[in-house]
Amino acid sequence: MAEPAPRVGSTDPEPVSALDARVVEAAGRSLGGTSRGLRERILPFLGPAFIACVAYIDPGNFATNIQGGAAYGYLLVWVVVAANLMAMLIQTLSAKLGIVTGRNLAEVIRDEFPRPAVLALWVLAEVVAMATDLAEFLGAALGFYLLFGIPLFAAALLTGVATLVILALQRRGFRPLEAVITALVGVVGLCYLAETVLGKPDFLAAGKSFLPPRLAGTESVVLATGILGATVMPHVIYLHSALTQSRVVVKDLPRMRRLLRYQVIDVVLAMSLAGLINVAMLLMAAVTFHRVGAVSIASIEDAHKTLIPLLGSGASTVFAISLLVSGLSSSTVGTMAGQVIMQGFLRRKVPILLRRVATMVPALVVIYLGLDPTRTLVLSQVVLSFGIPFALIPLVVFTGRKSLMGPLRNHPVTATVAWILSAMIVALNIFLVVRVFGS
């Protein structure tokens, strides 16, 4: 039987480092059934989903969850949970496509679709990547501003430098980058654990939002769509398939099935953590802002200032730290996704410095023009929601094809659920278009 090949699943592959080689060797032992203990069997496969989950706790989530909690209390908790469950399925399919085909989603689209469709989907993917970078840059810049009082324009430039430093870890292989990104996710998680403890939310009232799930008018639909766009991120659908396509390579069916099971564990752990953080964001906003009738929260800056009299200066500092770390980590992941999209669709490699500079421009323009950063963040998430079907539908089509996936194609139940989710997302977007143009 074929052994896992020591190749690195990165957007810009480098020679395999000693650490990566040890991880791949450990994965080979695990897939061969010679590893001892649960930790030895699972640990080599954890990482790709933790990089992907960063996109689910980016500054866009801060904007939509804070506005949702402030305006509607616990009403939209079920939306966050439902969106996270959708994300688990979608990221599992993306990881599976990369493992089974050895190609990422952009490459499969390029190879399987007619050229006009490829070009159209590439343009849409680039628009989504730009909206993503806009949200992440603005978020990190706001974090620097709130923590240190650095002007937003200078903070955005500092964000660009910081993300390039993190991206430089790619030269050392996939494991160091995965470790740093996972640590950053952990920081955001600890920050929101602290916020939740300080806020003391009513968990029973939050649970009642599921009985039955409901919305309250068109503005809540806009926010729900924004939450969906901020949670089910189109660009990371492309990225996750790239992270798994050559990280650990197996050819025989039994080992591939085992590898897929381990990737499901990776996805469930990472997305559960991201989901808990998102719920904590909304609970914090609901308990601190919605219950105080006189307080109107229109922006992230308002939330930061208002936390001081409500929960103390420590809470506002923790909030700013989590926003900064979220922005830096998600901006790094967004740049990686942009590389995957460009190289996968066009077979064109763009220097990462050029890509980073180009994606800074929209955020710098927004800051220069003095536009409201929080409102821009929310609108960017709505744009992302529009982009979901154009990544999700090809993913569902390809993972259901026997010619591509063989016996590992989607089970009929999985395929049915995935198509229902796709239809729901399209319906939400059509409603939003009608609502926006109608008003």
Side-chain angles (χ1 to χ4, degrees), residues 59-60 62-72 142 146 219 223 285 288-290 292-307 310 319 371-379:
F62 279 71
T64 54
N65 290 329
I66 287 171
Q67 290 201 354
Y72 296 100
L142 281 171
L146 296 176
E219 185 61 29
L223 277 171
T288 54
F289 305 137
H290 183 69
V292 184
V295 176
S296 175
I297 301 300
S299 69
I300 288 176
E301 299 98 302
D302 287 346
H304 178 259
K305 291 176 183 176
T306 308
L307 278 172
L310 292 178
F319 174 84
L371 301 179
D372 178 8
T374 302
R375 187 61 179 170
T376 304
L377 283 173
V378 173
L379 292 177

Side-chain angles (χ1 to χ4, degrees), residues 70 74 114 136 203 280 319 339 351 384 397:
Y74 300 119
E136 291 157 354
F203 293 104
F319 174 84
Q339 290 287 92
L384 292 182
V397 169

Side-chain angles (χ1 to χ4, degrees), residues 34 88 92 136 189 196 316 375:
T34 60
M88 285 186 184
T92 299
E136 291 157 354
T196 304
S316 64
R375 187 61 179 170

